[in-house]
């Protein structure tokens, strides 16, 4: 019986919905701005938590882009290690986005996430048939960096 369930579950596919996409990018923008505000207020632990959520947002986007059901937000399970479905370059990027409590380092990590966010955002817009408004995206990001 379990083998039959496993076979059926392996045949299922995942496509992100418009709602999932909107929730993902809204959370990304919110954490991006919140990280900036917390750095400016010298609330570094809070800023680090926001930056960690930016990394998690990127892992979520990569899964959506690849047609893999992402975890619920806040769940890092299987994004690293042997069970990860992320590619080596994605894991390398996640690792490169580490930072400590230095405000300049935190801002640099935030800036370094932006190009990959824009790339995956564009791909997800194309996948969902959404017109991407790059001027709008840049305006939101430029408010914080």
């Amino acid at each position: 019986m379990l083998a039959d369930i496993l076979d059926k579950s392996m045949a299922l596919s995942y496509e992100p919905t418009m709602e999932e996409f909107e929730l993902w990018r809204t959370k990304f923008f919110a954490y991006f701005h919140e990280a900036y505000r917390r750095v400016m207020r010298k609330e570094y632990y809070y800023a680090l938590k926001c930056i960690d959520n930016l990394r998690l947002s990127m892992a979520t986007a990569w899964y959506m882009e690849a047609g893999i059901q992402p975890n619920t937000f806040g769940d890092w399970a299987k994004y690293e290690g042997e069970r990860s479905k992320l590619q080596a370059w994605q894991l390398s990027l996640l690792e490169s986005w580490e930072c400590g409590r230095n405000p300049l380092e935190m801002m640099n990590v935030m800036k370094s996430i932006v190009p990959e966010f824009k790339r995956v955002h564009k791909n997800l817009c194309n996948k969902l048939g959404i017109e991407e408004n790059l001027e709008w995206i840049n305006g939101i990001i430029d408010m914080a960096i």
Side-chain angles (χ1 to χ4, degrees):
M1 184 170 93
L2 287 177
D4 184 46
I5 292 171
L6 180 61
D7 288 342
K8 287 178 182 176
S9 70
M10 295 304 283
L12 296 175
S13 63
Y14 166 80
E15 287 294 323
T17 65
M18 181 66 164
E19 294 79 22
E20 289 171 318
F21 172 75
E22 284 297 337
L23 182 63
W24 164 74
R25 79 172 165 184
T26 301
K27 282 183 181 287
F28 181 90
F29 292 144
Y31 282 118
F32 198 82
H33 281 258
E34 194 64 22
Y36 169 78
R37 286 192 296 272
R38 298 308 168 164
V39 168
M40 294 300 112
R41 293 177 185 159
K42 298 179 173 44
E43 297 174 355
Y44 301 130
Y45 287 123
Y46 197 149
L48 286 170
K49 180 175 175 26
C50 292
I51 291 169
D52 189 45
N53 283 324
L54 289 173
R55 288 189 295 263
L56 182 57
S57 292
M58 294 308 301
T60 297
W62 288 328
Y63 267 43
M64 288 193 299
E65 182 181 38
I68 302 167
Q69 174 77 50
N71 299 347
T72 49
F73 201 81
D75 181 2
W76 274 100
K78 301 180 191 173
Y79 282 137
E80 294 179 288
E82 292 177 13
R83 298 184 300 169
S84 176
K85 294 178 182 164
L86 295 175
Q87 296 178 27
W89 67 269
Q90 293 166 327
L91 292 169
S92 179
L93 269 179
L94 282 177
E95 189 176 335
S96 76
W97 294 333
E98 284 291 324
C99 62
R101 291 174 41 90
N102 179 293
L104 182 60
E105 187 180 14
M106 285 190 254
M107 294 302 293
N108 285 337
V109 164
M110 290 171 59
K111 288 176 187 175
S112 71
I113 292 172
V114 170
E116 182 56 17
F117 167 80
K118 287 181 179 180
R119 185 201 67 77
V120 76
H121 181 271
K122 179 179 183 172
N123 286 347
L124 288 170
C125 283
N126 290 337
K127 184 176 233 177
L128 292 166
I130 301 167
E131 185 177 333
E132 182 185 36
N133 184 340
L134 196 53
E135 187 176 311
W136 178 71
I137 299 295
N138 287 334
I140 292 170
I141 290 170
D142 290 348
M143 284 191 268
I145 56 173

